[in-house]
């Protein structure tokens, strides 16, 4: 029930849905239409401004660092790909740096093993197992199967943590673990792993750039990508609060 409710909540917390609802309200309540339209325009401008979106994202993200120690296992969280049944292709999304960075860390000798955590996160399971797809990618890039650990049952971050911790505590009782996920997802991920009683070191990926653009179109004009960044950010805030309260 919690899983279904979380999927519904993820839909309702999108800023673009709020703007859409405001426009519907403007159509229904004619007497207050002007006020509602003004609110709609202001809401749209705020959430479609890339400068504002990036500033809030930077405040939330965990800062990247260069590891100086070696770790037994790098834990890569899913949410980076899906499967096209027609073309028979695995399509990576904007979070693919999680897997790419894990490859580099492995080849540099910073992590000895790569753990891939992720089953099928869709509300209606279509049979696609993400961790197994990620394993195929690593195998094609010359990483031996003996250095890959699979956790293929989790559907969300808390299950990533619980299931991964169960496997790793059995295999590496005194192990050191590097948690590899997107910078804006790291706070929620570490909260979950802490609740699963597995100590990890955060290695955030796909961070927002540390420099700030001064281009006028970036600072002033609405941009669709800003809406997407806010969607991700609000999703993380909500998930963090829910997980902190529930688990």
């Amino acid at each position: 029930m919690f899983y279904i409710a979380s999927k519904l909540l993820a839909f309702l917390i999108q800023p673009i849905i709020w703007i859409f609802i405001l426009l519907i309200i403007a159509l229904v309540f004619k007497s207050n239409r002007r006020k509602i339209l003004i609110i709609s325009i202001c809401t749209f401008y705020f959430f479609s401004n890339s400068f504002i979106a990036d500033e809030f994202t930077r405040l939330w993200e965990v800062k990247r660092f260069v590891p100086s120690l070696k770790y037994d296992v790098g834990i890569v969280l899913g949410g980076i790909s899906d499967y096209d049944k027609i073309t028979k292709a695995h399509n990576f999304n904007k979070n693919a740096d999680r897997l790419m960075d894990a490859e580099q860390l492995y080849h540099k000798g910073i992590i000895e093993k790569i753990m891939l955590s992720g089953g099928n996160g869709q509300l209606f399971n279509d049979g696609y197992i993400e961790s197994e797809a990620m394993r195929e990618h690593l195998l094609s890039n010359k990483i031996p199967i003996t250095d890959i650990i699979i956790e293929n049952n989790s559907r969300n971050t808390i299950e990533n943590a619980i299931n991964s911790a169960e496997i790793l505590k059995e295999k590496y009782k005194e192990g050191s673990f590097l948690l590899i996920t997107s910078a804006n997802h790291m706070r929620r991920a570490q909260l979950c792993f802490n609740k699963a009683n597995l100590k990890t070191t955060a290695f955030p990926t796909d961070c927002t750039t540390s420099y700030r653009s001064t281009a006028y179109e970036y600072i002033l004009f609405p941009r669709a990508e800003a809406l997407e960044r806010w969607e991700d950010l609000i999703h993380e805030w909500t998930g963090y609060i829910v997980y902190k309260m529930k688990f």
Side-chain angles (χ1 to χ4, degrees), residues 6 50 64 72 108 112 150 190-191 195 204-205 208-209 238:
S6 68
S50 289
R64 191 178 177 94
D72 293 311
K108 290 177 180 177
E112 294 183 5
I150 290 289
Q190 281 215 296
L191 172 68
K195 287 183 177 292
T205 67
T208 303
T209 56
T238 306

Side-chain angles (χ1 to χ4, degrees), residues 175-211:
S176 55
F177 309 111
L178 195 65
L179 182 58
I180 305 169
T181 190
S182 303
N184 70 344
H185 181 237
M186 184 60 76
R187 292 185 191 275
R188 183 158 61 103
Q190 281 215 296
L191 172 68
C192 293
F193 275 84
N194 288 340
K195 287 183 177 292
N197 294 315
L198 189 73
K199 184 179 179 181
T200 62
T201 299
F203 185 84
T205 67
D206 45 288
C207 306
T208 303
T209 56
S210 57
Y211 59 87

Side-chain angles (χ1 to χ4, degrees), residues 7-244:
K7 289 296 183 182
L8 177 60
L9 182 61
F11 172 76
L12 294 175
I13 62 175
Q14 299 176 68
I16 197 168
I17 298 299
W18 304 344
I19 297 165
F20 180 66
I21 292 172
L22 281 170
L23 293 174
I24 292 176
I25 293 173
L27 287 175
V28 175
F29 297 97
K30 296 181 180 180
S31 60
N32 294 312
R33 179 171 296 171
R34 180 181 174 83
K35 290 181 180 179
I36 298 170
L37 286 176
I38 291 173
I39 294 171
S40 301
I41 292 170
C42 292
T43 304
F44 171 77
Y45 183 76
F46 179 85
F47 286 110
S48 63
N49 184 282
S50 289
F51 176 80
I52 296 173
D54 286 351
E55 288 303 309
F56 274 89
T57 301
R58 287 188 185 95
L59 290 172
W60 175 252
E61 287 181 344
V62 174
K63 305 302 180 187
R64 191 178 177 94
F65 79 109
V66 179
S68 58
L69 303 175
K70 292 187 177 181
Y71 298 84
D72 293 311
V73 182
I75 309 167
V76 181
L77 302 190
I80 71 170
S81 67
D82 58 25
Y83 184 67
D84 189 325
K85 292 182 178 179
I86 297 176
T87 62
K88 310 295 183 184
H90 301 290
N91 297 320
F92 291 106
N93 60 32
K94 61 186 178 182
N95 299 322
D97 282 5
R98 301 178 189 182
L99 189 58
M100 308 301 117
D101 280 358
E103 287 182 64
Q104 294 180 23
L105 292 167
Y106 174 85
H107 288 305
K108 290 177 180 177
I110 294 172
I111 56 177
E112 294 183 5
K113 306 280 186 181
I114 299 177
M115 180 175 205
L116 305 173
S117 178
N120 187 291
Q122 299 298 319
L123 184 58
F124 301 102
N125 193 324
D126 58 2
Y128 175 65
I129 305 298
E130 188 173 19
S131 59
E132 295 176 3
M134 290 193 288
R135 177 175 57 189
E136 293 304 312
H137 173 83
L138 293 181
L139 291 174
S140 67
N141 283 276
K142 312 300 182 185
I143 294 180
I145 195 169
T146 52
D147 287 342
I148 302 173
I149 304 169
I150 290 289
E151 182 286 299
N152 59 7
N153 292 314
S154 56
R155 300 172 298 172
N156 53 30
T157 307
I158 191 65
E159 290 182 7
N160 285 148
I162 294 171
N163 296 348
S164 297
E166 185 177 342
I167 294 170
L168 293 174
K169 285 177 184 177
E170 181 179 344
K171 292 187 176 183
Y172 301 90
K173 292 184 179 180
E174 301 296 329
S176 55
F177 309 111
L178 195 65
L179 182 58
I180 305 169
T181 190
S182 303
N184 70 344
H185 181 237
M186 184 60 76
R187 292 185 191 275
R188 183 158 61 103
Q190 281 215 296
L191 172 68
C192 293
F193 275 84
N194 288 340
K195 287 183 177 292
N197 294 315
L198 189 73
K199 184 179 179 181
T200 62
T201 299
F203 185 84
T205 67
D206 45 288
C207 306
T208 303
T209 56
S210 57
Y211 59 87
R212 289 165 172 81
S213 172
T214 57
Y216 70 90
E217 64 270 20
Y218 168 78
I219 296 174
L220 296 177
F221 292 167
R223 302 173 72 166
E225 64 185 33
L227 288 167
E228 187 176 0
R229 290 184 76 78
W230 270 111
E231 179 182 334
D232 292 340
L233 191 55
I234 294 171
H235 177 80
E236 292 303 323
W237 289 347
T238 306
Y240 185 89
I241 293 169
V242 170
Y243 284 173
K244 195 150 183 91

